[in-house]
Amino acid sequence: MSEEYKLACAKTVFRQFCDALDARGWNYRANEEELTIRYAVNGEDLEMTFLAWMDVDRELIRLISTMPFKFAEDKRIDGAIVTCAATDGLRQGCFDYDLSDGKINFRIVQTYKDCVLEQSLFDYLIDYPVFIVDKYNDQFFGVNKGMISITDFVNKKYN
């Protein structure tokens, strides 16, 4: 498949993603040259930021959300445990955790290779990460601040 064709496909998917955000009336920053889209959503208690980009070579939509805080050095092992527990059972996507600095990202990837993408997929790629990040960011924050124990986090997740 030619590089020109891959780029044309990526640009089409990029425009569809922007159209999905436009349909919601959401503000975002789109960079057509880099095929990136940045937007923020206010959750129940913490603002959530998202970065979506089209991976031209792999023909993927990549989306990431970085938590607005990092685990303190003395809570880094707790952070590793709870991010693994949170990732377990997700239907798609995962939490990435950097033990060296306590940073957490939620990441989701969707291929568009040889596909015709429907509006419902873009709705899912917007709604699902917002739901997951909003569900877990305050819980991660609570573990980091000592307000939620690892046991309580795990019990709440599985019960």
Side-chain angles (χ1 to χ4, degrees):
M1 192 172 305
S2 76
E3 293 302 313
E4 294 83 21
Y5 178 77
K6 285 184 176 182
L7 182 58
C9 290
K11 286 182 176 182
T12 298
V13 171
F14 173 82
R15 283 190 296 277
Q16 287 177 287
F17 202 107
C18 290
D19 290 346
L21 292 169
D22 287 338
R24 295 162 183 263
W26 288 11
N27 294 319
Y28 60 91
R29 289 189 334 249
N31 183 322
E32 266 190 85
E33 287 182 20
E34 296 179 3
L35 299 175
T36 60
I37 305 163
R38 296 177 186 277
Y39 57 98
V41 179
N42 290 320
E44 288 184 23
D45 45 14
L46 296 172
E47 182 180 70
M48 301 170 285
T49 59
F50 296 89
L51 169 63
W53 71 97
M54 308 313 117
D55 184 332
V56 177
D57 293 333
R58 293 184 179 97
E59 299 176 86
L60 298 172
I61 302 168
R62 296 180 175 272
L63 191 138
I64 193 167
S65 178
T66 301
M67 297 296 146
F69 63 91
K70 295 179 180 182
F71 271 87
E73 193 166 353
D74 65 328
K75 293 287 188 175
R76 300 255 171 93
I77 299 300
D78 293 359
I81 293 168
V82 296
T83 54
C84 286
T87 295
D88 182 47
L90 291 179
R91 66 178 177 224
Q92 188 176 10
C94 64
F95 287 101
D96 298 321
Y97 182 69
D98 188 335
L99 190 60
S100 70
D101 69 359
K103 182 173 77 172
I104 304 171
N105 293 320
F106 177 74
R107 175 173 45 99
I108 190 168
V109 178
Q110 176 64 50
T111 187
Y112 57 84
K113 183 177 183 172
D114 300 326
C115 296
V116 175
L117 303 181
E118 299 289 330
Q119 179 65 36
S120 60
L121 176 68
F122 291 96
D123 291 340
Y124 172 78
L125 288 174
I126 295 167
D127 291 339
Y128 179 69
V130 168
F131 170 75
I132 294 299
V133 172
D134 197 33
K135 177 179 178 179
Y136 286 106
N137 64 8
D138 59 331
Q139 294 179 50
F140 291 149
F141 185 79
V143 171
N144 183 47
K145 294 298 183 182
M147 299 179 292
I148 301 172
S149 70
I150 294 172
T151 302
D152 288 344
F153 180 95
V154 171
N155 286 340
K156 181 176 181 181
K157 186 207 176 298
Y158 290 108
N159 292 325

